[in-house]
Amino acid sequence: TIESNESRLSVVELADVSFGYTSTPVVEDISVSIDAGEYVAVVGPNGSGKSTLMQLLLGLLEPDSGTAELFGVDATAFDDGARVGYVAQRAGTSREMPITVREVVKMGRFPHVGFGRLSAADWRIVDRAIDTVGMSAFADRRITQLSGGQRQRAFIARALAGEADLLVLDEPTVGVDTESVDAFYGLLESLHDNGITVLLIEHDLQAVIEHADRVICLNREIYFDGPSAEFTDSAALARAFGTGAQTLTGGNR
Ligand code: ADP
């Protein structure tokens, strides 16, 4: 049926991808396939190639060999940026961005309106996105005046305003106070329940095991790719992280 085809819609398709900034490969022979609606976490020690992998699958880097596809087209040629919401580590901490939450979220509409002005309908989408992430009370607050967790919510709202169906987050809870981390994961969960594909780089193994459905454990090569419940007692954990694996559980920063 059309429905079952839809549910297996491929979002990310990496086939035998290798890449190095120098002649030494940073990721080697990576094959990963992510379908629409999945909630996937990428884990690995510092320097294991997680950010590089994200950039490859977003088409920001070109593989030395192998192929990378995003929504079924070559990732480097992919140009429907609004479909992908990217939340960087410590997003929006720059002092050069003294703009308000609503202004940040408004940017999510730009791919849809070109150089035109936002319509009343666009503004409704903006305000709904702000409401979805629980930031309505802070809509006119400058993002530089927000906590780390609130800032990350604003950048998620920007992705929602753009109607992104893939959310890519690079260690989104770094710099977020511990009380806000659970609420943040609750938000990701509800977005995932609403059909958004979530792809997360996360250093906190405990959080990954609790929240993501699938774990990809990377250290140049893929050591594990499967249900997060099976990752807990996976030998891959020890192989990829070495004997210090347990010190990573619960956060290493
Ligand atoms: P992770 O995200 O897992 O910490 P990265 O993908 O950032 O790992 O880095 C993997 C390796 O590639 C590291 O050895 C890092 O020093 C190197 N690297 C990352 N970015 C660059 C770059 N722009 N130029 C050269 N080397 C880089």
Side-chain angles (χ1 to χ4, degrees):
T1 66
I2 290 168
E3 251 169 35
S4 67
N5 282 337
E6 185 70 18
S7 67
R8 279 185 277 108
L9 189 75
S10 177
V11 174
V12 169
E13 201 72 56
L14 299 184
D16 305 315
V17 167
S18 296
F19 174 84
Y21 298 94
T22 61
S23 55
T24 314
V26 165
V27 294
E28 199 162 15
D29 260 332
I30 303 284
S31 295
V32 169
S33 169
I34 298 172
D35 291 345
E38 286 201 81
Y39 187 160
V40 184
V42 177
V43 299
N46 284 332
S48 59
K50 301 182 296 293
S51 300
T52 303
L53 179 70
M54 289 298 183
Q55 292 176 68
L56 285 161
L57 63 87
L58 292 173
L60 302 173
L61 291 172
E62 199 169 347
D64 294 333
S65 61
T67 56
E69 285 185 356
L70 190 56
F71 293 106
V73 303
D74 185 280
T76 54
F78 182 78
D79 62 358
D80 193 359
R83 292 193 77 174
V84 182
Y86 180 70
V87 179
Q89 198 177 117
R90 295 175 184 274
T93 45
S94 158
R95 298 207 179 279
E96 288 89 68
M97 278 179 69
I99 60 176
T100 67
V101 169
R102 191 177 268 111
E103 285 166 337
V104 166
V105 180
K106 172 190 172 188
M107 289 191 251
R109 292 308 297 165
F110 288 170
H112 298 279
V113 300
F115 292 105
R117 290 168 63 91
L118 269 67
S119 68
D122 290 310
W123 281 113
R124 275 196 297 277
I125 292 169
V126 167
D127 286 331
R128 201 185 321 131
I130 293 171
D131 185 49
T132 300
V133 301
M135 287 293 288
S136 296
F138 301 91
D140 297 312
R141 192 77 72 85
R142 289 182 174 192
I143 58 156
T144 45
Q145 298 172 317
L146 301 175
S147 73
Q150 290 171 330
R151 263 198 302 264
Q152 295 297 50
R153 285 170 180 271
F155 283 91
I156 288 179
R158 181 179 64 176
L160 297 179
E163 294 166 284
D165 45 16
L166 170 63
L167 199 54
V168 178
L169 308 108
D170 187 353
E171 302 208 8
T173 59
V174 169
V176 174
D177 51 297
T178 38
E179 307 91 84
S180 306
V181 168
D182 281 348
F184 185 82
Y185 276 109
L187 171 61
L188 285 188
E189 186 71 55
S190 72
L191 298 177
H192 173 241
D193 288 345
N194 281 301
I196 291 183
T197 309
V198 179
L199 186 51
L200 173 73
I201 295 183
E202 178 57 76
H203 65 276
D204 182 347
L205 295 180
Q206 199 55 51
V208 161
I209 290 159
E210 262 172 55
H211 300 288
D213 296 332
R214 171 178 167 195
V215 171
I216 295 173
C217 180
L218 181 77
N219 197 353
R220 194 165 56 93
E221 304 163 58
I222 291 179
Y223 280 76
F224 177 89
D225 181 357
S228 38
E230 289 172 22
F231 181 63
T232 357
D233 46 3
S234 153
L237 192 61
R239 281 204 294 145
F241 285 90
T243 48
Q246 289 321 306
T247 64
L248 278 153
T249 308
N252 66 336
R253 297 191 188 202

